[in-house]
Amino acid sequence: ATALAAMVNPRAALVNFSRLDEAGARGAYGFYDALDYTPSRLPDKTRLAVVRAYMAHHQGMTVVSMGNVVHDGATRRRFHSHPMVQAAELLLQERTPRSVAVARPRAEEVLEAAHVRDLVPPTLRQFESPHDITPRTHLLSNGRYTVMITAAGSGFSRWEDLAVTRWREDTTRDCWGTFVFLRDVGTGDLWSAGFQPCGTEADQYDVVYSEDRATITQRDTSLSIVLEVVVSPEDDAELRRLTVTNLEPRDREIDFTSYAEVVLAPQAADEAHPAFSNLFVETEFVPGHGTLLATRRPRSTDEPPIWLAHLAAAEGDAVDAPQYESDRARFLGRGRAIRSPLSVISGEPLSNTAGTVLDPIMSLRYRVAIPPQGTVRLVFTTLVARSREQALEIAEKYGQAATFERASALAWTQAQVQLHHLRITRDEAHLFQRLANRLLYADRSLRAGQQELAGGSAGPSGLWANGISGELPIAVVRIERDEEREVARQLLRAHEYWRLKGVSADLVILNAKGTSYAQDLQQSVEAMVRASQS
């Protein structure tokens, strides 16, 4: 738009190009497509967002416009000299007709309320404590790779229908997921990137869930830790960036140790026999890339290969060479659990073990020096690929800490595109995330009364007559009035949203309206289901 305006007021356009450049709108191939200042679409505490895209026809229009400015409208003169254009030039002289029939829009087509809503800041899912009866979850996904993280820092990673890391629906322990331990080498003080698994109570604890990321901030008298989790839209990878600030007036050395239990198998298979599933996992460390690899030996010729890579990139200066561990027994120590692993508490070096182990994990350790009041950043990346070569190729791409900014920007852009595609507002997305929380963890407050439970004597087989297997979580919406059909429509959007986030569930719409000759509500609901993208 600025380039086109240069044909009318070139000086003002030149000033605006300078302002765009200062705002970060210029990239390697010229100016990006746009800057977005809409408050409802911006990340928290930001004034604008750069739409990092180039469109060929916009670049072409820019070049032609500049040519017109410099050469006094040369392209316009060429265009209007063509006989076909000259034959239609009289149309440019026509005026707007005076008597035009006015079309009155229907009430549902008037969108003033939606425009007014854009001026209201969107709600954020924000928590100040990791403690809750049911863990508060958040889902991040690019459509293939899914990360679920709780307010305490636990959760799971999944790729398509395979579990990447081990997880159980256990609200009493909540000790599953990908973790990062932090240990002060001088004092032996221990923290984790979230409340889990160390369970250290911070002076200040804050969790913010956005559509594109999850952020956990904790602070005590000596250290500030910020964990940001995003899923890359380009690759099947999750990135966890730790920003650590030394609040003490002395130099400190901090050991950063990651930990995740490797599965690479369907969730049901791992729950049925985890020890047997572990026997097929092999690990390998690639020194040139600083990457820990894991793969599952195929149990049949038609089973596709899968490779997992885990690596870290530090912005600060690493004191020692990276260490690694792939044996859970060595990492935890005899008789210990993940809350107090011996290899972390003792400060002893990791064993640098790889190969075939009985209980495989992925663990990397970096020791980083932090000056007084200084800040360092580390990015731990976990990715999945179809071959060893592809895994190493992607790992090399994420071997630089600066790659997090690109993946973060792309994740934000993809989140906005998905919401626009599904016609979901940000407030609705937060609502659907809260509903997904109940699909992932059983909530006692939603349990039926004793009389209803006693009446369901058929058990899961009672669902089969209605075409419901009972193997997936079930969301039920009950409607009985015409005014409630919008609730069903909203749940259909939620069902599609959950599918994009990697959560499989059955949606049951229970029409409780009395039978009539017209059956208008039933027909309306059936039409909505047929039109649904899911």
Side-chain angles (χ1 to χ4, degrees):
T2 303
L4 295 177
M7 294 186 292
V8 179
N9 192 336
R11 292 187 180 276
L14 188 62
V15 172
N16 200 51
F17 271 127
S18 299
R19 295 180 61 192
L20 290 170
D21 192 9
E22 294 172 358
R26 190 170 67 168
Y29 305 105
F31 284 93
Y32 290 115
D33 205 55
L35 298 177
D36 194 347
Y37 289 87
T38 310
S40 63
R41 292 199 297 264
L42 294 179
D44 190 30
K45 298 179 182 179
T46 57
R47 192 175 66 92
L48 62 90
V50 180
V51 182
R52 300 178 184 274
Y54 300 102
M55 294 193 179
H57 66 287
H58 289 174
Q59 298 290 325
M61 292 161 67
T62 299
V63 172
V64 171
S65 176
M66 294 303 172
N68 281 332
V69 174
V70 176
H71 298 291
D72 194 21
T75 303
R76 287 198 303 269
R77 291 196 303 272
R78 294 184 190 127
F79 182 75
H80 287 280
S81 65
H82 196 282
M84 187 178 294
V85 177
Q86 291 176 351
E89 279 188 344
L90 286 176
L91 296 176
L92 301 177
Q93 310 300 327
E94 290 188 2
R95 296 182 178 180
T96 305
R98 294 182 178 179
S99 56
V100 178
V102 178
R104 303 294 181 184
R106 296 193 299 272
E108 60 268 20
E109 295 176 343
V110 180
L111 301 177
E112 281 81 5
H115 295 304
V116 172
R117 191 179 183 184
D118 285 344
L119 303 176
V120 181
T123 59
L124 286 175
R125 296 180 67 205
Q126 189 167 359
F127 311 103
E128 297 180 353
S129 171
H131 306 296
D132 199 71
I133 297 176
T134 302
R136 303 182 181 104
T137 66
H138 190 62
L139 293 164
L140 303 169
S141 179
N142 60 8
R144 303 173 306 275
Y145 193 100
T146 300
V147 171
M148 186 276 282
I149 186 169
T150 70
S154 60
F156 62 70
S157 302
R158 289 179 183 169
W159 182 65
E160 297 179 351
D161 60 343
L162 299 179
V164 176
T165 60
R166 183 159 287 121
W167 176 77
R168 299 290 185 267
E169 183 192 348
D170 187 347
T171 59
T172 61
R173 298 178 65 196
D174 193 28
C175 60
W176 315 94
T178 300
F179 303 120
V180 180
F181 297 91
L182 296 87
R183 179 181 179 274
D184 190 317
V185 177
T187 63
D189 294 336
L190 189 65
W191 305 266
S192 51
F195 176 78
Q196 294 287 5
C198 286
T200 304
E201 293 287 352
D203 296 337
Q204 180 182 347
Y205 194 91
D206 187 57
V207 182
V208 177
Y209 289 153
S210 306
E211 187 61 24
D212 60 317
R213 73 184 63 208
T215 305
I216 300 177
T217 304
Q218 50 185 334
R219 181 188 178 103
D220 60 21
T221 55
S222 65
L223 209 64
S224 171
I225 306 170
V226 180
L227 171 66
E228 299 171 88
V229 184
V230 300
V231 174
S232 171
E234 290 183 307
D235 307 293
D236 296 332
E238 62 176 285
L239 294 86
R240 297 172 182 255
R241 183 171 72 174
L242 277 158
T243 303
V244 180
T245 302
N246 178 15
L247 303 179
E248 292 192 350
R250 63 180 179 90
D251 292 326
R252 304 173 75 179
E253 291 184 357
I254 302 293
D255 279 342
F256 294 82
T257 307
S258 62
Y259 171 88
E261 298 181 30
V262 181
V263 177
L264 299 180
Q267 177 72 18
D270 184 60
E271 291 180 359
H273 206 319
F276 178 74
S277 179
N278 288 340
L279 297 178
F280 293 87
V281 177
E282 294 180 345
T283 60
E284 173 191 359
F285 184 74
V286 184
H289 294 75
T291 300
L292 196 58
L293 296 177
T295 186
R296 170 169 289 278
R297 297 195 307 275
R299 297 170 60 182
S300 62
T301 55
D302 57 347
E303 183 177 339
I306 177 173
W307 286 80
L308 172 68
H310 183 63
L311 66 148
E315 287 187 5
D317 296 329
V319 177
D320 294 328
Q323 305 167 24
Y324 61 92
E325 181 63 79
S326 65
D327 188 347
R328 182 170 176 266
R330 291 173 182 257
F331 186 88
L332 297 181
R334 184 177 180 87
R336 290 180 175 266
I338 186 59
R339 175 151 289 193
S340 58
L342 181 63
S343 61
V344 177
I345 293 178
S346 66
E348 294 294 325
L350 299 181
S351 67
N352 294 344
T353 299
T356 303
V357 294
L358 293 178
D359 202 347
I361 63 168
M362 306 285 277
S363 178
L364 290 173
R365 175 177 294 173
Y366 278 74
R367 178 171 294 181
V368 179
I370 311 179
Q373 308 300 320
T375 299
V376 297
R377 292 181 176 87
L378 273 84
V379 180
F380 288 90
T381 302
T382 304
L383 60 96
V384 176
R386 287 292 186 187
S387 66
R388 182 180 185 276
E389 293 74 18
Q390 184 184 13
L392 291 177
E393 181 181 349
I394 301 175
E396 185 175 3
K397 173 182 175 181
Y398 291 97
Q400 302 295 326
T403 313
F404 181 88
E405 293 295 341
R406 170 181 169 80
S408 177
L410 291 175
W412 180 85
T413 303
Q414 186 196 45
Q416 308 310 309
V417 171
Q418 284 184 346
L419 292 183
H420 180 73
H421 173 68
L422 296 176
R423 299 181 181 179
I424 294 174
T425 64
R426 291 180 64 179
D427 293 348
E428 271 190 321
H430 290 316
L431 170 62
F432 298 162
Q433 288 275 6
R434 292 199 298 271
L435 292 176
N437 199 156
R438 301 310 192 261
L439 298 175
L440 295 168
Y441 284 98
D443 188 347
R444 291 183 298 175
S445 65
L446 301 179
R447 187 172 176 83
Q450 188 63 34
Q451 293 182 348
E452 294 182 53
L453 293 175
S457 58
S461 61
L463 300 171
W464 299 345
N466 298 295
I468 306 170
S469 66
E471 297 177 356
L472 300 176
I474 302 173
V476 183
V477 55
R478 185 178 188 271
I479 59 174
E480 55 183 332
R481 297 192 302 270
D482 293 341
E483 296 80 13
E484 295 174 337
R485 70 183 70 191
E486 286 304 317
V487 178
R489 194 189 306 274
Q490 188 178 42
L491 264 293
L492 285 169
R493 293 200 301 273
H495 191 260
E496 175 65 11
Y497 179 85
W498 297 333
R499 188 185 66 82
L500 288 177
K501 294 297 182 181
V503 175
S504 299
D506 285 330
L507 173 62
V508 175
I509 302 174
L510 182 61
N511 182 6
K513 185 178 182 180
T515 58
S516 64
Y517 180 78
Q519 293 288 336
D520 52 343
L521 181 58
Q522 179 69 17
Q523 294 173 3
S524 175
V525 172
E526 290 177 354
M528 283 191 295
V529 172
R530 286 194 298 269
S532 173
Q533 298 181 32
S534 61

